[in-house]
Amino acid sequence: MNIALYSLIEIKRAGLLSLSGQCHIALFIAIAVLLVVGAYFLGSINFAIYISRAAYNKDIRSFGSGNAGSTNVMRTFGTKAALIVLFGDIMKAFVSVTVTMVVCGIEIAYIAGLAAMVGHCYPIYYGFKGGKGFATAAGMVLAADPLAFLICAIIFVAVVATTKFISAGSIMAAMFLPLVLNMIYRPSGGLPGTMAICSILLAIFVIFRHKENIIRIANREEKKFSFK
């Protein structure tokens, strides 16, 4: 198989297995399942927990909001630690989605991205108690659709700058993702069904994981964030 024969767009859409024409459907399914399961295990590597234990000999889940994510790390251990955690949480989904997309195509890659999110939120290595999944979702979208990532990032920054709530920015960016993807893919025949479902599930999952933040915002108890 000569990879050079295929354009990046073709590889992104279908993956090298399908393009080769030499992969039996059963083998394709088996490889796709392995990649999705692998994405879950990679997503289960929680950098907030690892950094807090390795660098500070503490468990981030015992501090602040109890969430194993970059925002709680920033408030507990500072910006430097939070940036390391944020980068790690983004990259584990980015790697999972990129590898899956190259091998099996973008639709399976979105499923792998969701699996990485589930791993981040319910990590098998840490008693299924992890973060809220937004940074991992960002890595997923960045790998699969950079333009959608950019638009949602602008929405995120605008909402956070206006409300001073990171949780509100996360929720709004996730909610707009299905609409943004539909807008991007409409000229080329519409958003594939698998991607549409995955983007909607992503939005629902992010909202569900931020339900406590929504309650605190309603009760005016949510901590505000400043870009300064």
Side-chain angles (χ1 to χ4, degrees), residues 13 17 34 51 53 75 98 107 167 178 194 211 219:
R13 184 187 72 250
L17 282 180
L34 285 175
I51 293 297
R53 287 178 174 178
R75 289 169 175 159
T98 299
E107 294 190 58
S167 55
T194 302
K211 60 183 183 298
N219 294 332

Side-chain angles (χ1 to χ4, degrees), residues 139-169:
M140 163 186 171
V141 180
L142 176 61
D145 286 289
L147 180 56
F149 171 85
L150 178 60
I151 296 172
C152 288
I154 292 172
I155 294 172
F156 171 81
V157 172
V159 173
V160 174
T162 302
T163 66
K164 302 296 187 295
F165 296 134
I166 290 180
S167 55

Side-chain angles (χ1 to χ4, degrees), residues 46 48-49 52-53 58-77 120-123 126-133 209 212-213 216 222-223:
N46 190 291
I49 298 174
S52 64
R53 287 178 174 178
K58 301 179 185 298
D59 190 330
I60 185 60
R61 294 172 295 180
S62 299
F63 296 86
S65 65
N67 180 58
S70 57
T71 301
N72 198 29
V73 169
M74 179 185 65
R75 289 169 175 159
T76 306
F77 300 117
H120 176 78
C121 297
Y122 305 103
Y126 306 107
F128 301 99
K129 185 179 179 182
K132 296 185 178 178
R209 292 294 294 175
E212 294 178 358
N213 302 85
R216 286 197 295 267
E222 181 79 336
K223 292 182 178 179

Side-chain angles (χ1 to χ4, degrees), residues 22-38:
Q22 300 174 354
C23 181
H24 192 274
I25 183 64
L27 178 60
F28 180 91
I29 293 173
I31 292 175
V33 169
L34 285 175
L35 288 169
V36 170
V37 172

